Amino acid sequence: MRARSGPTVEHRVLAVRLRMLRERAGISLRAAAEALDAHPATVRRIERAETGLDPRQVGELLRCYGVPPTVSEPIMAKLAAANLPGWWHRWRDAMDGWQQDVIGVETSASLVRTWHPALVPELLRTPAYAAALYRTQYPEDTPARRERRVELLRERRRRMGERGAALWALFPAAALRTRVGDRATMDGQRAALAEAMKEQHVTVQVVGVEHPPQPLTGVPPLHILRVPAPEIGDQAVLETPGVRVDIVDDPEAVMAHRIRLDAACAAAPGPGTPLPE
């Protein structure tokens, strides 16, 4: 069984399908749990992708739901792949717990939209900028662990580029005036942003310091991830640095965040506008 490292999208999709099959069959959590000789919480955890997909349990559930072989056999065939750890598993030692769930969705997302109210958004940070920021954010980390965090960030960005995922970032110009690291670090970050803006799948919008308040003014870091799987809707991630991170999948709540982000992007200088001096 896969060691805990956050579910992959493949795992999430199968978990959602199991829930949908149970509901379609009109079977309660308690009745499904009785088929497994287990507690209803066990079935709930399976359906929320909070535990590995045991072939025996999944098979029993499918039989309980009366699922025909044409539906059950493809599900059973995908269990082994769904139980494999995600590529990020090897970096678990350098991850916060919530990151495992977020990266599990991000790694299959076709579009990542991100807003940061004060800093360059994470997926656009250079290794030097990220390393300098980690020294402040994680003062108790060893240099080796901070380097592992930088490696993970670099790998996330590389994989996004390889699969052609789109990145759309919005942030205030003040982020370019907040010195993270030394002057060379900031010069390198600015140069990297200018190059990123030329990439086909990257959109960067910077809100000038003279710009009036916009719909995301005062809102903490916000990310919206879109996965091309009908079983999984858009996910919103709202960070309150140092306090909590909320991963939102309720469609109405995600829609509300997306509307605010759309409005903020519409009010900001258009993509391709040169970075402010």
Side-chain angles (χ1 to χ4, degrees), residues 105-127:
V105 177
E106 176 192 280
T107 197
S108 294
S110 60
L111 169 65
V112 175
R113 300 182 64 186
T114 183
W115 150 261
H116 201 293
L119 299 168
V120 173
E122 186 178 28
L123 288 169
L124 287 173
R125 294 170 187 169
T126 64

Side-chain angles (χ1 to χ4, degrees), residues 7-28:
T8 61
V9 164
E10 292 80 4
H11 184 164
R12 289 175 185 269
V13 166
L14 291 186
V16 171
R17 287 181 183 170
L18 289 172
R19 176 181 58 77
M20 293 173 66
L21 288 169
R22 176 181 61 78
E23 292 175 346
R24 191 175 303 158
I27 294 174
S28 67

Side-chain angles (χ1 to χ4, degrees), residues 13 47 70 75 83 176 201 226 241 253 266:
V13 166
E47 293 181 350
T70 53
I75 290 177
N83 278 322
L176 300 175
H201 299 292
R226 176 164 299 164

